[in-house]
Amino acid sequence: FPSHDKEPGSHVDIQLYTGKTFDTVTQVEALMNYGEALTEDYQRWTIAAAILEAAERFTSQENEPALQEFQLVVGGMKALAENRYEPLLILDAFLLRSFAIAGYAPSMTICSRCEKPGPHRYFSLVGGGSVCADCRPAACATPAPETLELMGALLSSDWDLASYRDWE
């Protein structure tokens, strides 16, 4: 998993001996060093740092879905290192999926309050995502339909749709 000193973004397999007070590292095997490929491109490097920072915030010892978050980090690092997709889309997808793993996935296709089928014009962070005109709270955004479509594609790993269009 990420190392914060010399090789951020390295994927390693570590064996530990669990002691009474401290764990002791008994073996380390480097599986992939994504940092080498990422240091060549400042944007991808900073996005990798943002992914690692967010992953640290999303996980804790009490957090059961830590394995899912770990797999998401490895997938994000691999996609960045291989320059597979637009780097900012990789970050957005990572953040949306991290929210989903933590139980905060925004509703993209149905009203998050009354479950009326959508798509809907309004989006409320506090309200849990897309909301219909009847459930729309005062403090909500009216994003372009393409924005909600992109968010849905990134959340569901539809890279064909997310990469196909020019979203800007």
Side-chain angles (χ1 to χ4, degrees):
F1 203 76
S3 165
H4 290 290
D5 350 83
K6 297 183 181 187
E7 296 296 334
S10 293
H11 181 187
V12 297
D13 183 20
I14 300 175
Q15 289 185 3
L16 301 169
Y17 169 77
T18 305
K20 292 181 181 179
T21 308
F22 298 105
D23 294 342
T24 304
V25 175
T26 59
Q27 181 178 344
V28 177
E29 180 182 347
L31 301 177
M32 183 61 68
N33 179 8
Y34 298 115
E36 286 180 14
L38 297 174
T39 57
E40 298 172 4
D41 182 323
Y42 182 74
Q43 182 187 35
R44 290 188 300 144
W45 177 256
T46 56
I47 288 172
I51 287 173
L52 296 175
E53 180 73 23
E56 184 178 359
R57 301 279 187 230
F58 276 111
T59 55
S60 68
Q61 290 180 343
E62 297 83 29
N63 188 359
E64 286 300 315
L67 178 58
Q68 290 175 297
E69 188 71 21
F70 169 75
Q71 292 168 333
L72 195 56
V73 168
V74 171
M77 290 293 131
K78 184 174 183 180
L80 278 172
E82 293 174 355
N83 209 14
R84 196 178 303 167
Y85 308 110
E86 166 63 37
L88 289 173
L89 290 180
I90 293 170
L91 176 61
D92 291 344
F94 174 83
L95 293 172
L96 283 167
R97 292 180 202 163
S98 290
F99 281 127
I101 290 170
Y104 302 105
S107 172
M108 302 309 301
T109 57
I110 63 171
C111 177
S112 61
R113 292 195 173 181
C114 72
E115 298 185 3
K116 181 180 177 181
H120 300 290
R121 281 191 63 193
Y122 306 105
F123 191 85
S124 170
L125 279 177
V126 176
S130 293
V131 289
C132 67
D134 296 332
C135 296
R136 175 180 75 149
C140 71
T142 310
E146 295 83 12
T147 301
L148 296 176
E149 185 181 8
L150 174 59
M151 289 174 67
L154 293 174
L155 190 57
S156 67
S157 300
D158 186 347
W159 285 104
D160 289 337
L161 178 61
S163 299
Y164 170 73
R165 296 189 52 183
D166 180 16
W167 297 98
E168 294 185 34

